Amino acid sequence: MDAAETLDAVREEAGTELDRLGSDKLLIAATGADLTPAAVREAAVTREVGVANGLSGWADDAGAASEAFATAAGAARDRADRIDADPGDPDALADHLQTVASTDARVGAGLVAVPLIADRFYLQVVNFFVNEADEAGADTFRDLRADASDLDPARDALSTLHDEGRDVARDAAVGAIEAAYADYAETLEGMGLDPKPIC
């Protein structure tokens, strides 16, 4: 299984969770139902700071992946600096990243899962600011989405792993997505909302 096949496997295994994380209920969960521009920006900067802190902590002892983690952490900090808000407490994804131990698993959780989740998150943020008639805000978050969802660092890091390592990375990516989804679902259920789409 090469890098591209690994990414495809993650998308397939975690497809349901990713689809639901891209629903219009996502910001309700992320903001505690405070659907204001300030709360949405706070949720976005909180995610980026959590990712940056997680990945920067891995860069010193990750061997061949050190540069990839350092670069991704720096990019997350740059995105955080572009969001006009202060971060809140670490979210579930940031907490999960702190539990990932091996370098191979960190490639999956930090470089594969994080961009896949960010793509869904920022889609809803862009839609929010479009609905607010804030085109400047929407444009800013479109740019952030394009950067945050970039999977090229994941492809590069996966290509340095052996087959067994890519299997570990795949499982860790799925696990990180499942952790983010579990928190999303639990939060919505606590509000009396169903995380599953209504057909």
Side-chain angles (χ1 to χ4, degrees):
M1 183 179 292
D2 63 17
E5 291 168 336
T6 301
L7 291 172
D8 287 343
V10 172
R11 291 189 185 98
E12 181 176 352
E13 290 183 38
T16 297
E17 289 83 359
L18 286 171
D19 285 346
R20 292 179 185 170
L21 284 170
S23 84
D24 56 8
K25 298 176 186 174
L26 177 60
L27 292 184
I28 296 174
T31 64
D34 181 8
L35 293 177
T36 60
V40 171
R41 286 190 172 93
E42 180 182 325
V45 76
T46 295
R47 285 180 175 233
E48 294 295 1
V49 169
V51 168
N53 289 343
L55 272 61
S56 63
W58 299 345
D60 293 337
D61 58 356
S66 291
E67 184 176 350
F69 290 138
T71 299
R77 291 201 189 283
D78 288 344
R79 291 192 297 273
D81 289 342
R82 295 178 61 191
I83 301 169
D84 184 18
D86 295 323
D89 294 333
D91 62 11
L93 180 59
D95 288 342
H96 179 78
L97 293 179
Q98 297 298 327
T99 71
V100 182
S102 76
T103 295
D104 295 347
R106 288 171 172 177
V107 167
L111 301 181
V112 177
V114 165
L116 290 173
I117 294 168
D119 180 60
R120 275 70 177 176
F121 174 76
Y122 279 120
L123 173 62
Q124 292 305 320
V125 175
V126 169
N127 289 343
F128 173 84
F129 283 102
V130 168
N131 291 335
E132 290 286 302
D134 181 351
E135 278 303 318
D139 286 343
T140 294
F141 283 103
R142 284 189 188 99
D143 290 343
L144 293 173
R145 181 190 182 197
D147 183 60
S149 62
D150 182 12
L151 285 166
D152 283 345
R155 294 184 184 94
D156 292 343
L158 287 168
S159 69
T160 70
L161 304 181
H162 297 296
D163 287 347
E164 182 177 338
R166 282 192 286 272
D167 288 344
V168 171
R170 177 201 64 213
D171 291 345
V174 171
I177 293 166
E178 289 175 342
Y181 174 73
D183 179 72
Y184 161 79
E186 181 179 337
T187 300
L188 287 181
E189 288 166 352
M191 298 176 180
L193 300 174
D194 187 350
K196 301 180 181 66
I198 299 172
C199 301

